[in-house]
Amino acid sequence: MVTIKDVAKHAGVSVATVSRVLNNNGYVGTETRKNVMAAIEELNYSPNEVARSLYKRGSRLIGLLLPDITNPFFPQLARGVEDEAGRQGFRLLLGNSDEDIEKEMDYIQTFVQNNVVGMITATNHVDYDMYQSLDLPLVLLDRTSSSYPAVYADGREGGRLAAETLIKKGAQRVTLVKGPAHVKPAVDRYRGAMEVLGEADVDFSVMSTTSYAFEEALNWAEELFQKFPETDGIIASNDIVGIAIIHEALKRGKNIPEELQIIGYDDIPQSRLSYPPLTTIRQPAYEMGRKAAELLIQRIGQPQQEHRSIQMPVELIERHTTRKDDQE
Amino acid sequence: MVTIKDVAKHAGVSVATVSRVLNNNGYVGTETRKNVMAAIEELNYSPNEVARSLYKRGSRLIGLLLPDITNPFFPQLARGVEDEAGRQGFRLLLGNSDEDIEKEMDYIQTFVQNNVVGMITATNHVDYDMYQSLDLPLVLLDRTSSSYPAVYADGREGGRLAAETLIKKGAQRVTLVKGPAHVKPAVDRYRGAMEVLGEADVDFSVMSTTSYAFEEALNWAEELFQKFPETDGIIASNDIVGIAIIHEALKRGKNIPEELQIIGYDDIPQSRLSYPPLTTIRQPAYEMGRKAAELLIQRIGQPQQEHRSIQMPVELIERHTTRKDDQE
């Protein structure tokens, strides 16, 4: 049987260096790393032996649960988590719950069975018993709860900023698209926007929606113009819905932004590709993911530490679905 | 210590039923399943004990490697893999290689260390040694190779269909956007389109590109109109680039589809949201993912079986960036 000593000898490095490469902790130069990996391959050194030792010492695995991998906001979060975890020598197991509580519980079980050392979740069911019985460091991402540390963007301020922007740019009949009620950040931004609209000298309407799915976005857009044909300013529940609203508005021959202004939420990569490109409130998704990994890894190191949460700022990204100058 | 017997008693079912729920094999009714899960939670039965037994018997984990989680085509593939794997009682570990060979090798190592029973990969480096030394069933997804079974769509036919469609609808000065050379299906569809263009009575140009990244799509679009301002029919390398081309064309005041026709590739969910909505060649991404999981699980059961590959059909999805009738 090939041993770690054989690999070290073959690569011309110490056993400690091979171990560092295998366990991904401590510094190893790129060239050395390559030599060690080459030796592992050439000698056909079995990672299963490594697995057994890892199994004894505890893994370096982190579980990440997303509610909907097809919403482009979440892959951005995931990349942030992945990059920071990788930088610190941790690997990611990714689960997509599809907003399904059974799938969510299945993934949590899979994570635990595979000895993850911590978990990050961006789903909507953290109040379930399953989480409370977990004996693992847990960080919420894009979600908040009094029970767990969390990394999230300032949704209330985001909602305020969206409404303030439309009003400042002269919208008089605003329509606010309210996101799904079970998604906490959607509720936050709804409340923020309502605060501003309630104090402003404009007419406004609220349209409730129940999902962010691509498949339904065009239906929401159509319904919006049927219900509120005279609207001149729309605060979309997110960018997907915002892009669908641009589609429907152009189909109906509306001039954007002269006749109708639209503002989205998230700043997904697609938003700059629409025509006109979508003005939106940016959540720093990648950075949020990075911070969540950082926070989790801190907790893995010091589980007794009091937990803290991190609120990230949002930002107005002005593109061409809002007017350039204030036109009251 | 709580045992599986305690759980069975508490839930009012047999030990065999609890075991089926825990291992996710064999039929268990939804109601029964819920009762068992509730009993597990109430008694705080530790999944780690389950883990130990699973570890002995072999896991039910499948590793899935994607090249770029932010390209909306891949989350669709992943959902197909996930749903079929789940249906058959397998769980997924998902890795995103970000087109980075080191990350890819790291993930493979993580998968092996966590005792996956098989792997599906949609990345571009399957010819590397790392794969050849893997002692695991492997299925390629959206990729092909003579060494492994694969599930892929008919790229050559897709390329042909895109070119035939534009020509049939009267395009006279076609521009073919060639996708990244290291992505095998991009090369297939390029070749298919070239076959048709070479035989047709039209002028055409080829523009080479090196990525599908959202961040660069608008640059490709801009470059295209600088180089080929007179084009009246564009075969985009994929839908992301197609949507960026719509953006750039409208910005330049072109009438779509009267003056300029555009056809994409993939049929990602975003393509119906653009305005005008994008005509495209559909790859059945979700179904491809499902088939890959099916094929892999067959191989896990019968590793000695000769390997086979599955080619899936592509389909023209006519929307509004091509003309309604043939106008020669």
Side-chain angles (χ1 to χ4, degrees):
Chain A
M1 199 178 73
V2 179
T3 68
I4 192 167
K5 280 188 193 167
D6 301 326
V7 175
K9 198 175 162 195
H10 196 87
V13 300
S14 70
V15 167
T17 301
V18 178
S19 166
R20 276 202 297 278
V21 171
L22 289 170
N23 297 313
N24 231 324
N25 55 19
Y27 175 77
V28 183
T30 314
E31 205 52 42
T32 306
R33 192 185 156 77
K34 273 189 190 149
N35 289 340
V36 171
M37 293 308 285
I40 287 171
E41 284 195 21
E42 280 159 29
L43 299 177
N44 205 13
Y45 178 59
S46 160
N48 267 322
E49 301 169 41
V50 185
R52 272 194 287 280
S53 80
L54 276 180
Y55 192 76
K56 280 182 216 137
R57 293 189 307 99
S59 83
R60 304 274 285 176
L61 277 180
I62 289 172
L64 171 63
L65 251 178
L66 301 181
D68 178 9
I69 199 183
T70 63
N71 177 340
F73 177 69
F74 293 108
Q76 300 287 329
L77 285 180
R79 286 203 56 243
V81 173
E82 193 176 35
D83 284 357
E84 181 62 26
R87 214 181 55 77
Q88 299 205 35
F90 288 80
R91 296 279 155 260
L92 215 61
L93 301 188
L94 207 155
N96 172 43
S97 79
D98 245 342
E99 303 251 17
D100 177 332
I101 176 73
E102 291 239 357
K103 277 196 192 177
E104 187 164 344
M105 288 168 73
D106 276 346
Y107 268 116
I108 294 171
Q109 211 184 331
T110 303
F111 288 167
V112 171
Q113 285 171 357
N114 286 281
N115 297 298
V116 298
V117 289
M119 246 186 81
I120 298 173
T121 182
T123 65
N124 298 305
H125 303 112
V126 286
D127 297 326
Y128 275 61
D129 292 350
M130 193 72 183
Y131 281 95
Q132 275 147 46
S133 65
L134 270 184
D135 188 22
L136 271 182
L138 177 68
V139 168
L140 308 189
L141 179 51
D142 188 39
R143 300 292 180 260
T144 54
S145 144
S146 52
S147 317
Y148 305 103
V151 177
Y152 58 99
D154 190 348
R156 193 150 194 158
E157 178 56 26
R160 292 188 62 92
L161 191 53
E164 278 164 2
T165 302
L166 280 195
I167 290 169
K168 196 175 138 208
K169 290 176 182 290
Q172 288 291 325
R173 295 173 303 280
V174 173
T175 305
L176 172 58
V177 183
K178 188 180 166 191
H182 69 283
V183 180
K184 176 84 168 38
V187 175
D188 289 345
R189 69 185 82 148
Y190 163 74
R191 288 197 183 133
M194 283 299 277
E195 283 169 14
V196 171
L197 292 172
E199 284 164 14
D201 185 23
V202 297
D203 297 337
F204 69 93
S205 314
V206 173
M207 184 176 112
S208 286
T209 62
T210 53
S211 95
Y212 286 138
F214 276 103
E215 293 69 26
E216 297 182 49
L218 284 177
N219 298 339
W220 302 128
E222 213 175 332
E223 187 181 326
L224 188 152
F225 288 104
Q226 276 160 12
K227 287 181 171 168
F228 310 108
E230 298 304 317
T231 187
D232 68 356
I234 298 173
I235 302 171
S237 51
N238 74 356
D239 282 357
I240 297 172
V241 174
I243 292 169
I245 290 170
I246 295 176
H247 173 116
E248 188 64 25
L250 294 175
K251 195 169 158 190
R252 288 168 186 256
K254 304 227 179 234
N255 286 324
I256 302 172
E258 296 78 5
E259 254 181 284
L260 174 67
Q261 302 188 81
I262 302 163
I263 188 162
Y265 207 94
D266 284 344
D267 196 26
I268 57 175
Q270 286 83 340
S271 300
R272 76 179 85 176
L273 297 191
S274 70
Y275 192 83
L278 183 64
T279 294
T280 192
I281 305 296
R282 178 167 202 274
Q283 298 199 71
Y286 179 85
E287 196 59 21
M288 286 163 70
R290 240 185 42 67
K291 286 274 181 210
E294 213 175 84
L295 197 57
L296 180 70
I297 293 168
Q298 274 171 19
R299 289 188 71 74
I300 291 168
Q302 301 173 290
Q304 303 316 329
Q305 211 186 14
E306 227 178 282
H307 76 67
R308 66 191 181 99
S309 289
I310 299 173
Q311 190 186 60
M312 310 278 287
V314 294
E315 184 188 356
L316 172 67
I317 305 290
E318 283 200 66
R319 296 200 183 97
H320 301 307
T321 58
T322 46
R323 298 181 201 151
K324 272 286 161 245
D325 303 301
D326 308 356
Q327 301 166 344
E328 303 253 357
Chain B
M1 199 178 73
V2 180
T3 68
I4 193 167
K5 281 187 191 165
D6 301 324
V7 175
K9 199 176 161 195
H10 196 88
V13 300
S14 70
V15 167
T17 302
V18 177
S19 166
R20 278 202 295 279
V21 171
L22 288 171
N23 296 313
N24 233 323
N25 55 18
Y27 174 77
V28 182
T30 314
E31 204 54 39
T32 306
R33 193 186 153 75
K34 273 190 190 151
N35 289 339
V36 171
M37 291 308 285
I40 288 170
E41 284 196 21
E42 281 160 29
L43 299 177
N44 205 11
Y45 178 60
S46 160
N48 267 320
E49 301 169 40
V50 185
R52 271 193 287 280
S53 80
L54 277 179
Y55 191 76
K56 279 181 216 135
R57 293 191 307 100
S59 83
R60 306 274 284 173
L61 276 182
I62 290 172
L64 171 63
L65 251 179
L66 302 180
D68 177 10
I69 199 184
T70 63
N71 177 340
F73 177 69
F74 293 107
Q76 301 287 329
L77 286 179
R79 285 202 57 242
V81 173
E82 191 174 36
D83 284 358
E84 182 61 27
R87 215 180 57 75
Q88 299 204 36
F90 289 80
R91 296 279 154 260
L92 214 61
L93 300 189
L94 207 155
N96 173 45
S97 78
D98 246 343
E99 303 253 19
D100 175 331
I101 177 72
E102 290 239 355
K103 278 195 192 179
E104 187 164 345
M105 288 169 74
D106 275 344
Y107 268 116
I108 293 171
Q109 208 183 334
T110 302
F111 289 167
V112 171
Q113 285 172 354
N114 286 280
N115 296 296
V116 299
V117 289
M119 246 186 80
I120 297 173
T121 183
T123 63
N124 299 306
H125 304 111
V126 286
D127 297 326
Y128 275 63
D129 292 349
M130 193 74 184
Y131 282 94
Q132 275 148 46
S133 65
L134 269 183
D135 186 22
L136 271 180
L138 178 68
V139 168
L140 307 189
L141 179 51
D142 187 39
R143 300 290 180 264
T144 54
S145 144
S146 53
S147 319
Y148 305 103
V151 177
Y152 58 98
D154 189 347
R156 192 149 194 157
E157 177 56 25
R160 293 188 63 91
L161 192 53
E164 279 163 1
T165 302
L166 279 195
I167 289 168
K168 194 174 139 207
K169 291 176 181 289
Q172 287 292 326
R173 295 174 302 281
V174 174
T175 306
L176 172 57
V177 183
K178 187 180 169 194
H182 68 283
V183 180
K184 177 85 167 35
V187 176
D188 289 346
R189 70 185 81 148
Y190 163 75
R191 289 198 183 130
M194 284 299 278
E195 282 168 17
V196 171
L197 291 172
E199 286 164 13
D201 184 23
V202 296
D203 297 338
F204 68 92
S205 316
V206 173
M207 183 175 115
S208 285
T209 62
T210 52
S211 97
Y212 285 138
F214 275 104
E215 293 69 25
E216 298 182 48
L218 284 177
N219 299 340
W220 301 129
E222 216 176 329
E223 186 181 327
L224 188 151
F225 288 106
Q226 275 161 12
K227 287 182 173 169
F228 310 108
E230 298 305 315
T231 186
D232 68 355
I234 298 172
I235 303 172
S237 51
N238 74 355
D239 282 359
I240 296 172
V241 174
I243 292 169
I245 289 170
I246 294 176
H247 172 115
E248 188 64 25
L250 294 175
K251 196 169 155 189
R252 287 169 188 256
K254 304 229 179 232
N255 286 324
I256 303 171
E258 296 79 6
E259 255 181 283
L260 174 68
Q261 302 188 81
I262 302 162
I263 189 162
Y265 207 96
D266 283 345
D267 196 25
I268 57 174
Q270 285 83 340
S271 301
R272 76 178 85 177
L273 297 191
S274 70
Y275 193 81
L278 183 66
T279 294
T280 190
I281 304 297
R282 178 169 200 275
Q283 299 198 71
Y286 178 86
E287 197 58 23
M288 285 163 68
R290 240 183 44 65
K291 286 275 181 211
E294 215 174 84
L295 196 58
L296 181 70
I297 293 168
Q298 276 171 19
R299 288 190 71 74
I300 291 169
Q302 301 173 290
Q304 303 315 330
Q305 212 185 11
E306 226 179 283
H307 76 69
R308 66 190 181 100
S309 289
I310 300 173
Q311 189 187 62
M312 310 278 288
V314 294
E315 184 189 356
L316 172 67
I317 305 290
E318 283 198 64
R319 296 203 182 96
H320 301 306
T321 56
T322 47
R323 297 181 201 153
K324 272 287 161 244
D325 303 298
D326 307 355
Q327 300 166 346
E328 304 250 359

